[in-house]
Amino acid sequence: MKWLAALPFLALVVGMFFANRTEPYVLGLPFILFWTVLWVVLTSVIMFIVYKTDPVNRGGDRS
Amino acid sequence: MNSALIVILLFLLLSIYLGLQARRGKTMNLEQWSTGGRSFGTLFVFLLSAGEIYTTFTFLGGSGWAYGKGGPAFYILWYGALAYILSYWMLPAIWRYAKQHNLLSQSDFFVAKYNSPALGVLVSLIGIIAMIPYLVTQLKGLGAIMEIASYGSISSTLAVWIGVIAVTIYVMASGVHGTAWTAVLKDGLVLVVVVFLGIYLPVHYYGGIGQMFHAIDQAKPGYLALPATGNSVYWFISTVLLTALGFYTWPHAFQAVYTAKNEQTFRRNAMVFPLYQLILLFVFFVGFAAILTVKPPLQGSAGDNSLLILSVQTFPKWVVGLIGASGLLCAIVPGSMLLMTSATMISKNLYKVINPKASEESVSRLAHYLVPVVALVALYFTFNGQTIVALLLMGYSLVTQFFPAIVFSFMKRNPITKWGAIFGILAGELVVAYTTITSKTVGLLLPFMPQWVKDLNIGIVAMVINLVVTFAVSAFTRGAGAQARTAINA
C-alpha cells in the first residue's frame, strides 16, 4: 500500500501538464487550483491508508 | 492609543507570558532547552512544524505571490504536501537515530553519522549563513506588519526592537518549550484570522470566490494558470520537487524533530498536515481579492503588503489589530526557533570543537548567552542589510544541499564517505552561491538548451553537481573510510 504515496508525485510531474488551465472551473476554482487542492486532500487520504495498513503502527505507541 | 495597537500589545504580552511560564518545573539543561527533553506529544510536535509553514513569509509572501504572480503561487501548496509524504519515512528514522545517540543539533547528526566533527562545523556554518537571513526576513515582515496595522503609531524600527526583545527573553528562559507554547497561541489565532479573511474579502468585494476568479480571468486572461515560458510547468515541477527536499533540511526544522516523545507522532502528523496546509488556500484568496481592489496597484515586492493594505481599507481598527497580532506571532514563533537553533549549533558544534575541554555546563550557558548575540546580528542586518537580499534567496537552496548526505546515511551500507559528503556539500553550495549572487538562470548558463530546460529551477544544477562530486570523492576515499569503520567495529 505504501506505493500509493507515489501517486501525488505523479499527479505533479505528469498531471500538471494537463492541469495547467483555467477552464473548466470546479467548485468556483480555476482548474489548476482545483487540481492542486484535490491532490492536497488526496495526499491526506493516501497517508491515512498508508498509516492504517503499515504494520509498524500496530500495537500502539512505542517509545 | 488606537484599538488596533491595544490588541497587538495584548497578544505580545500574552506570548511573553506563555513563553516564560513554559519553563515551569523543568531544569533547563541544554537537552531540555534545545530538544524539550524529547518529551513533546503529537500536538506540540505538530505545532512546532506548523511554525515553519506559517511564517511571515507565507502570511505576506503567499498573498504577495498570488497578487503579483497569480498561478505560479500554487507551488507553495504542492511542495508542502510532497514534503509530508517524505516525512512519514524520513522523520521517524532521524528521530530514532537522534535518540540513540543523544543528538541535540542537526550538525550533531552529521558528526555522528559520518564520524566527523569537521563535517559538523561545515554544516553549522552553512546552517547559520542560511538561518540569519531567514530571521531577518521574519523581522522585516514583523516591522512592516506592525507599522501598517498600528496605523503608523509604531514605527517599523520600534516594532522590530519590541519583537526581538520579547523573543530573546523567552528563548533564554525556556528554549524550545517557549516556542511550543507560543505556537499554540499563534496557530489558533492565524487559523481564525486567515480563514475569515480568505472567505470574507472575496465575498465582500466580488460576491463569491468563483465570481472573484472569473473577474480576474476576464481582466487578466491566463493570469491564474502558468505562463508558457519563465515560471512555466517545467519551472513549477522542478521548484516543487527541490523545495520538498529542502523542507526538513533546515537546521531548525531538523532539530524540532528531536523534541518528539515517540516516532508514531510523525506518522500521525503526516496524515493531518496536508489538510492543515489548506489554510494557505485562504491566504491565496486574500492575495487574489486584492488584485482588482487595491488602488493604485502595488508594484513588485510591495505586493507583499497586499493583505495588510486591503485589510486596512476594509475593516475596523480592532480587526486590523487581530491581523497585526497574527503577523507578529508569525514572526516571533519561527524567530524563536531560529535563534535557539543557531545558538545551540554555535555553542555545541563550533565552540566545543575548538575547545574540547569545555564542560557541559559551560556549553549550555554559552548557548543561552548567544541568543541575544545572534539577535543583535540579525537586528544589524535588518536595519543595514542591502546585500542580505541575495542571501535570502540563497537560504533555501543552501540547506537543500544537505539532503543527499542525510538520505544516503540511512542506507544499509552508506555509499558515500565523509569526504564525499564534505566536498559534495561544498560543491553544491558554491554553485548555489555563484548562481544566486550573479542571478544566473539555467537559460543564462546554457543558452543553447531548449526552452523547457532553461525554465528548470537553477537549484537542480547545484544538486546534480553535488551528487557527482559526492560520488566521485566517495569512490576515491572509500578505502580509508572502510578501514576506519572496521577499526570502530573491532
Side-chain angles (χ1 to χ4, degrees):
Chain A
M1 290 313 264
K2 66 181 177 191
W3 294 109
L4 280 178
L7 288 177
F9 287 88
L10 288 176
L12 171 77
V13 175
V14 180
M16 275 313 282
F17 287 97
F18 303 96
N20 181 27
R21 51 197 295 158
T22 312
E23 308 272 344
Y25 284 78
V26 185
L27 304 172
L29 305 178
F31 193 78
I32 178 175
L33 183 55
F34 164 73
W35 182 254
T36 302
V37 172
L38 173 73
W39 278 97
V40 169
V41 174
L42 284 179
T43 301
S44 266
V45 174
I46 287 171
M47 293 321 284
F48 176 78
I49 298 170
V50 169
Y51 183 91
K52 284 291 168 197
T53 54
D54 189 342
V56 180
N57 298 314
R58 268 178 228 143
D61 284 355
R62 295 181 311 162
S63 56
Chain B
M1 209 191 245
N2 65 55
S3 55
L5 197 52
I6 295 171
V7 173
I8 295 175
L9 290 180
L10 277 178
F11 273 94
L12 180 74
L13 290 177
L14 186 56
S15 61
I16 298 176
Y17 167 76
L18 283 175
L20 286 177
Q21 65 81 38
R23 68 170 287 138
R24 240 187 271 153
K26 280 149 199 124
T27 336
M28 272 299 155
N29 57 22
L30 194 57
E31 188 176 15
Q32 273 295 344
W33 193 70
S34 59
T35 70
R38 297 173 221 279
S39 65
F40 288 178
T42 307
L43 180 70
F44 268 5
V45 174
F46 184 89
L47 290 174
L48 275 183
S49 302
E52 278 117 52
I53 320 168
Y54 308 111
T55 67
T56 55
F57 169 76
T58 9
F59 204 67
L60 301 181
S63 50
W65 266 63
Y67 178 85
K69 302 194 186 204
F74 304 147
Y75 96 90
I76 304 173
L77 270 176
W78 274 101
Y79 82 75
L82 300 189
Y84 299 130
I85 297 178
L86 299 179
S87 81
Y88 183 94
W89 289 278
M90 222 170 96
L91 301 193
I94 293 172
W95 178 85
R96 217 175 303 136
Y97 187 80
K99 187 172 166 84
Q100 278 163 9
H101 294 81
N102 261 320
L103 309 182
L104 299 185
S105 66
Q106 182 191 41
S107 309
D108 284 351
F109 175 89
F110 287 96
V111 173
K113 276 281 191 187
Y114 290 92
N115 192 22
S116 164
L119 181 56
V121 169
L122 177 70
V123 169
S124 301
L125 290 174
I126 296 168
I128 291 160
I129 294 173
M131 282 194 290
I132 299 265
Y134 195 149
L135 191 52
V136 171
T137 344
Q138 299 305 320
L139 295 180
K140 287 196 165 170
L142 169 79
I145 294 167
M146 296 262 279
E147 184 167 306
I148 298 177
S150 68
Y151 296 84
S153 59
I154 297 184
S155 72
S156 99
T157 309
L158 180 63
V160 170
W161 274 101
I162 294 173
V164 166
I165 290 169
V167 172
T168 306
I169 291 172
Y170 80 71
V171 171
M172 282 185 79
S174 314
V176 73
H177 289 281
T179 308
W181 276 92
T182 46
V184 176
L185 180 66
K186 161 182 170 266
D187 272 59
L189 183 63
V190 170
L191 184 70
V192 173
V193 165
V194 167
V195 172
F196 166 73
L197 290 179
I199 294 173
Y200 180 85
L201 290 171
V203 170
H204 178 72
Y205 282 107
Y206 299 87
I209 288 163
Q211 286 94 319
M212 172 178 79
F213 281 122
H214 278 101
I216 293 169
D217 192 46
Q218 210 133 55
K220 299 180 155 199
Y223 196 66
L224 300 170
L226 304 174
T229 60
N231 292 344
S232 66
V233 180
Y234 295 96
W235 167 86
F236 193 92
I237 294 171
S238 58
T239 302
V240 168
L241 292 177
L242 265 181
T243 22
L245 299 187
F247 202 84
Y248 287 105
T249 56
W250 275 100
H252 61 292
F254 202 93
Q255 193 172 318
V257 171
Y258 301 173
T259 61
K261 191 163 48 184
N262 61 55
E263 57 181 86
Q264 289 292 84
T265 299
F266 304 113
R267 300 198 190 94
R268 247 182 249 135
N269 283 346
M271 300 188 273
V272 188
F273 256 129
L275 275 183
Y276 190 71
Q277 252 217 131
L278 284 180
I279 298 179
L280 288 173
L281 182 62
F282 296 92
V283 176
F284 293 153
F285 288 166
V286 178
F288 284 122
I291 290 179
L292 302 175
T293 49
V294 173
K295 302 247 161 48
L298 308 166
Q299 298 301 327
S301 64
D304 288 353
N305 291 335
S306 56
L307 183 149
L308 293 167
I309 291 172
L310 184 58
S311 302
V312 169
Q313 175 183 318
T314 314
F315 295 113
K317 285 189 173 163
W318 66 271
V319 177
V320 174
L322 280 178
I323 297 165
S326 328
L328 168 82
L329 288 165
C330 277
I332 66 176
V333 171
S336 66
M337 196 67 196
L338 290 160
L339 273 180
M340 195 270 297
T341 311
S342 309
T344 309
M345 286 196 332
I346 298 173
S347 182
K348 188 143 188 294
N349 302 101
L350 297 180
Y351 171 72
K352 175 87 173 146
V353 172
I354 299 167
N355 189 358
K357 286 195 195 111
S359 68
E360 257 180 56
E361 285 80 24
S362 68
V363 171
S364 171
R365 207 175 322 119
L366 179 66
H368 285 70
Y369 291 135
L370 278 168
V371 171
V373 177
V374 178
L376 282 173
V377 172
L379 276 175
Y380 174 81
F381 283 116
T382 306
F383 297 133
N384 306 299
Q386 297 306 322
T387 50
I388 201 84
V389 179
L391 288 175
L392 277 178
L393 301 168
M394 235 193 301
Y396 216 105
S397 319
L398 286 176
V399 296
T400 308
Q401 299 301 322
F402 298 160
F403 190 79
I406 294 171
V407 168
F408 287 126
S409 78
F410 283 113
M411 288 173 69
K412 279 212 179 68
R413 194 169 169 281
N414 188 350
I416 68 180
T417 65
K418 76 172 179 195
W419 292 112
I422 289 175
F423 282 103
I425 290 175
L426 268 177
E429 306 302 9
L430 285 177
V431 177
V432 168
Y434 171 75
T435 52
T436 315
I437 290 167
T438 59
S439 16
K440 284 272 189 293
T441 60
V442 180
L444 289 170
L445 280 180
L446 308 166
F448 47 86
M449 287 296 208
Q451 185 62 42
W452 70 269
V453 179
K454 290 185 188 170
D455 291 343
L456 290 180
N457 189 308
I458 184 79
I460 296 268
V461 178
M463 188 56 89
V464 169
I465 291 178
N466 177 346
L467 284 170
V468 170
V469 173
T470 300
F471 280 104
V473 174
S474 296
F476 276 109
T477 52
R478 160 116 5 255
Q483 274 162 20
R485 253 198 306 279
T486 348
I488 293 166
N489 292 341

